[in-house]
Amino acid sequence: MPIDVCDKNGNHIGVVHKRFMDKWNICMVALTDVRARELKVDIEKIKELVAAEFGCKKMFGKVKEDELREKMYELLKSENRNIISYEELMITVFLNHFSEKKIENFIDEKALENKIRGYILYDLNKLELKQNSIAVNQDLGYINEQLELDWDKTAIYAKIIDYPILETSSYYIKLNEAYEYTTKIKIISGNYEEEMKLSTILDCKKDMGISLVSSKKKIDRVFCDGRIYML
């Protein structure tokens, strides 16, 4: 089931758990031994949503299964049509097309209590499948290093992949000069890359691991090289 996530060798690393801030196509993958089957994914609820979106419901609300199946498989490249089941494809379509829907509302959250070790990010625009799972085909060595630190179970683990840029700017408040300090970093987490601008001087280097804690709209805390930064 494609809510399971594996590494490039096909080893299970976690499950898709929630969306990342306001980015509709980016999901947070919970690093856990829990499998999708334990989450009791509400397939029927998802099917109702997808069928309505694709216009595959009869007058009294019954789903037109054959028509829905055909329309969903048309979305796939021909080489992928034999490696994903109808149910798995439905969940994948849901993740891609219903950005306003919280993933947590379609799974049993209790199955994940005290079993999450942290998160990585997944870009659904780069979706790859392997062994009935969503696959992350990038190197994930930085995860183990940060898991050993055991800083925050809600943290997103990432790696800095370019040289950080430190910036200082000045402005005036009632004739008094004030300064603003920022650090620009480019990170990779899972299969997702992003350039971030953080409102502090971050003591970091290229190839260094970094952990991020986010709210709904921004990064709130950063852990890097043994230091915690509150933003």
Side-chain angles (χ1 to χ4, degrees):
M1 187 176 293
I3 205 165
D4 277 321
V5 182
C6 68
D7 64 16
K8 60 186 177 182
N9 298 316
N11 300 311
H12 178 81
I13 59 171
V15 292
V16 174
H17 184 208
K18 57 180 73 173
R19 301 193 188 275
F20 176 53
M21 297 198 294
D22 58 352
K23 301 179 188 298
W24 68 269
N25 60 314
I26 310 300
C27 290
M28 293 176 64
V29 175
L31 301 173
T32 178
D33 293 328
V34 173
R35 302 273 181 158
R37 60 179 177 270
E38 299 171 64
L39 298 179
K40 300 175 184 176
V41 181
D42 193 337
I43 295 296
E44 290 304 314
K45 191 175 178 182
I46 290 174
K47 184 190 291 185
E48 292 289 326
L49 282 170
V50 175
E53 175 73 10
F54 282 73
C56 295
K57 277 192 168 186
K58 296 180 180 179
M59 185 179 295
F60 297 105
K62 187 175 180 180
V63 175
K64 300 176 185 177
E65 296 280 357
D66 291 341
E67 185 178 337
L68 179 59
R69 183 189 302 268
E70 183 178 343
K71 285 189 175 182
M72 288 198 303
Y73 273 96
E74 284 176 356
L75 299 173
L76 291 177
K77 296 178 182 177
S78 57
E79 63 267 24
N80 289 331
R81 290 177 184 173
N82 296 322
I83 64 172
I84 185 169
S85 72
Y86 175 50
E87 186 178 280
E88 292 163 349
L89 178 56
M90 191 177 305
I91 295 174
T92 305
V93 170
F94 165 75
L95 291 174
N96 266 304
H97 290 262
F98 292 86
S99 58
E100 78 283 2
K101 299 294 183 182
K102 291 185 176 182
I103 298 167
E104 308 96 288
N105 294 341
F106 296 83
I107 62 176
D108 180 8
E109 284 271 74
K110 291 181 180 178
L112 289 169
E113 284 183 5
N114 302 315
K115 294 181 180 178
I116 297 175
R117 298 189 292 271
Y119 291 88
I120 57 172
L121 301 177
Y122 196 91
D123 186 347
L124 293 169
N125 287 334
K126 303 176 185 176
L127 181 68
E128 296 181 77
L129 301 170
K130 182 181 292 186
Q131 299 177 3
N132 300 320
S133 297
I134 289 173
V136 181
N137 286 321
Q138 280 72 23
D139 176 63
L140 297 175
Y142 56 88
I143 292 178
N144 292 330
E145 298 169 7
Q146 295 181 71
L147 282 173
E148 292 177 3
L149 299 173
D150 196 27
W151 172 53
D152 190 319
K153 304 296 186 186
T154 67
I156 298 163
Y157 301 137
K159 180 181 177 180
I160 299 170
I161 56 173
D162 204 349
Y163 297 108
I165 299 173
L166 309 181
E167 293 183 340
T168 303
S169 57
S170 62
Y171 55 94
Y172 285 87
I173 301 176
K174 295 181 179 179
L175 302 180
N176 294 315
E177 190 172 16
Y179 295 90
E180 183 176 62
Y181 304 97
T182 59
T183 305
K184 289 182 180 179
I185 55 172
K186 185 174 184 180
I187 65 160
I188 186 168
S189 177
N191 76 336
Y192 176 63
E193 293 184 14
E194 181 180 352
E195 290 187 356
M196 292 184 168
K197 190 173 182 178
L198 304 174
S199 57
T200 188
I201 294 294
L202 200 65
D203 189 8
C204 61
K205 298 178 182 178
K206 181 183 176 184
D207 297 325
M208 188 176 281
I210 186 170
S211 301
L212 313 165
V213 175
S214 68
S215 60
K216 289 183 179 180
K217 295 185 177 181
K218 70 182 189 74
I219 302 298
D220 293 324
R221 286 178 289 147
V222 173
F223 181 85
C224 184
D225 197 27
R227 298 178 180 87
I228 297 173
Y229 300 84
M230 310 298 290
L231 306 179

